[in-house]
Amino acid sequence: MSDFIQLKKFRDIDLNDPFFDSLKSDYPEFESWFFKKADDQAYVYENDEGHLEAFLYLKVENGPVTDITPPLSDKTRVKIGTLKINPHGTRLGERFIKKALDYAVSKDLNELYVTVFSKHHALVQLFNKYGFKECGLKGAEGKEELVLLKTLSEISGDVLADYPLVNSGEGKKYLLAIQPEFHSRLFPDSILNTESFDIIEDVSHTNSIHKVYVCKMPSVANLKRGDKIVIYRMTDIPNRARYRSVATSICVVEEMKSRRHFKGVEDYLKYCSSYSIFSDEELINYFTDWNNLYVIKMTYNMALKKRLTRDRLINEVGMNEKSYWGFMELTDSEFQLIQQKGDVYESIVIY
């Protein structure tokens, strides 16, 4: 498969899959609605047996939304029509929320909303975590759904609630190099055209909006929440860095921890395991062998639509060829040029 999340027409999705039983129970009109959508598409994830584990339907709505109280104003926005995830501990819900946010950004729309029954506590909490706020109710009394709304136009100062927006006007900016064998598993939307999507698996560090990277460079110790990081995929061919190493993504720092912040190896593993590309064995070895151990937790905000080679970063952005490219601070001008030449969606970056 080209990506473990697939875009399928409703007509090609098995409505008899037990996955849909709860939706049929919650919404008596669900089956008739599903058949009417035969030519529409939804994002799905199927397990190895071909059964659904996740389903996401998105649509663009124009005009006021009058079937909720209070109604939403007259504008164009994205509705998350249906989202269901079978929880199985791999942060799949985060990956699908990222899909919805990416969809809104790609359509140049700055508002999304979803309706969800309050009984689905975990799903409501997940939406709240990423800035969806309750703004009304839908349905008759006793069968009311919460209406959750997210706006992609204002910065609150909360890294998670603001996601995927990047506040370019605050915090420092850095470039962080990651070896190619780790890069594409950690940043699936930043995979290179020459790589195979087969390495993208249904695992926590791939699905998650959050990423954890472990290193031993003392220079990262000064990273602060809100700092921006440009991810730099190192060359896969020795001595070819100038044309094979590329900037691929932009992340925002949630926090930076050093070895002293952890009570012991178990505390460290609990913090890292869900979001790191490294195995528990590798993580334990790093904890045991490295006196200088640093853990960077960050949100994966955007992939550059145009990858910038080291040559372009030097000649067009103005970065210093003689600097240490493992980790280096960027000027505001360099960071802005990387965004511009990387052709990121302008609506994501707030100045």
Side-chain angles (χ1 to χ4, degrees):
M1 60 184 178
S2 60
D3 183 0
F4 75 86
I5 295 178
Q6 302 175 70
L7 192 57
K8 281 190 170 185
K9 286 189 175 183
F10 276 64
R11 68 169 76 255
D12 298 323
I13 300 170
D14 183 11
L15 182 58
N16 294 317
D17 192 306
F19 173 88
F20 290 116
D21 288 350
S22 63
L23 290 170
K24 293 174 183 176
S25 175
D26 283 341
Y27 304 98
E29 72 283 4
F30 182 78
E31 290 189 62
S32 60
W33 171 84
F34 193 96
F35 286 122
K36 290 177 183 177
K37 297 292 182 183
D39 291 324
D40 289 352
Q41 294 180 307
Y43 292 100
V44 299
Y45 167 61
E46 299 172 339
N47 61 26
D48 292 340
E49 288 73 43
H51 296 298
L52 285 169
E53 296 288 351
F55 179 95
L56 169 65
Y57 170 62
L58 302 167
K59 69 173 181 175
V60 174
E61 288 188 341
N62 298 295
V65 181
T66 58
D67 61 346
I68 66 175
T69 305
L72 295 178
S73 62
D74 184 1
K75 68 183 301 184
T76 303
R77 56 177 62 85
V78 173
K79 180 180 181 181
I80 302 175
T82 304
L83 172 61
K84 184 189 173 186
I85 309 290
N86 277 347
H88 55 297
T90 64
R91 312 286 178 180
L92 195 56
E94 290 180 16
R95 180 85 167 122
F96 272 79
I97 285 183
K98 185 178 189 305
K99 279 288 186 187
L101 294 171
D102 288 348
Y103 180 84
V105 170
S106 71
K107 299 292 184 182
D108 198 25
L109 299 175
N110 62 15
E111 203 166 276
L112 306 89
Y113 81 101
V114 63
T115 63
V116 58
F117 287 111
S118 58
K119 67 180 181 180
H120 300 304
H121 304 292
L123 187 57
V124 172
Q125 289 178 350
L126 191 62
F127 277 118
N128 290 161
K129 180 179 181 179
Y130 297 109
F132 285 81
K133 297 179 180 179
E134 185 176 342
C135 69
L137 296 170
K138 177 181 179 178
E141 187 174 352
K143 287 193 174 182
E144 293 173 324
E145 293 180 87
L146 302 177
V147 181
L148 306 176
L149 179 75
K150 180 175 175 68
T151 302
L152 295 173
S153 58
E154 298 177 356
I155 290 285
S156 70
D158 184 317
V159 170
L160 300 186
D162 289 340
Y163 181 87
L165 299 182
V166 173
N167 186 355
S168 186
E170 293 187 3
K172 294 186 175 182
K173 291 85 178 175
Y174 299 90
L175 179 139
L176 174 67
I178 294 183
Q179 296 178 18
E181 60 266 34
F182 302 137
H183 174 273
S184 297
R185 284 186 285 154
L186 196 57
F187 300 101
D189 292 329
S190 298
I191 197 167
L192 304 187
N193 292 334
T194 56
E195 295 177 289
S196 168
F197 272 100
D198 291 343
I199 64 173
I200 306 299
E201 301 172 347
D202 176 31
V203 290
S204 298
H205 59 254
T206 296
N207 294 332
S208 180
I209 285 170
H210 310 268
K211 307 296 175 183
V212 160
Y213 194 67
V214 181
C215 67
K216 55 180 178 179
M217 294 181 288
S219 53
V220 307
N222 293 323
L223 281 172
K224 299 288 191 300
R225 184 177 178 88
D227 286 347
K228 268 59 74 175
I229 293 181
V230 174
I231 300 298
Y232 176 71
R233 181 191 183 273
M234 298 167 65
T235 180
D236 52 353
I237 301 176
N239 303 316
R240 294 287 301 278
R242 195 172 188 99
Y243 300 102
R244 299 286 298 184
S245 295
V246 290
T248 68
S249 323
I250 295 177
C251 299
V252 177
V253 176
E254 290 184 68
E255 58 185 350
M256 199 292 302
K257 289 180 178 284
S258 63
R259 183 191 181 95
R260 65 182 175 83
H261 289 100
F262 299 103
K263 297 177 183 178
V265 67
E266 290 185 4
D267 184 37
Y268 158 76
L269 283 177
K270 182 179 179 181
Y271 183 85
C272 294
S273 292
S274 291
Y275 299 114
S276 172
I277 52 175
F278 303 114
S279 68
D280 283 357
E281 182 180 359
E282 289 172 317
L283 289 170
I284 291 170
N285 287 339
Y286 299 153
F287 192 85
T288 302
D289 298 341
W290 294 353
N291 291 324
N292 292 323
L293 181 140
Y294 301 94
V295 180
I296 306 167
K297 187 176 183 182
M298 50 196 165
T299 55
Y300 177 25
N301 291 61
M302 68 183 82
L304 302 184
K305 288 188 282 183
K306 295 181 180 177
R307 316 302 192 229
L308 302 180
T309 63
R310 180 169 181 159
D311 184 73
R312 292 190 65 193
L313 292 170
I314 293 168
N315 291 319
E316 299 178 30
V317 175
M319 292 172 59
N320 188 345
E321 183 175 7
K322 296 182 179 180
S323 294
Y324 173 59
W325 285 65
F327 182 77
M328 74 167 84
E329 186 170 353
L330 303 172
T331 66
D332 288 345
S333 175
E334 289 168 344
F335 183 69
Q336 189 169 346
L337 281 170
I338 288 172
Q339 295 170 52
Q340 292 173 356
K341 294 182 179 296
D343 195 21
V344 301
Y345 289 104
E346 294 181 0
S347 60
I348 293 183
V349 183
I350 307 295
Y351 294 97

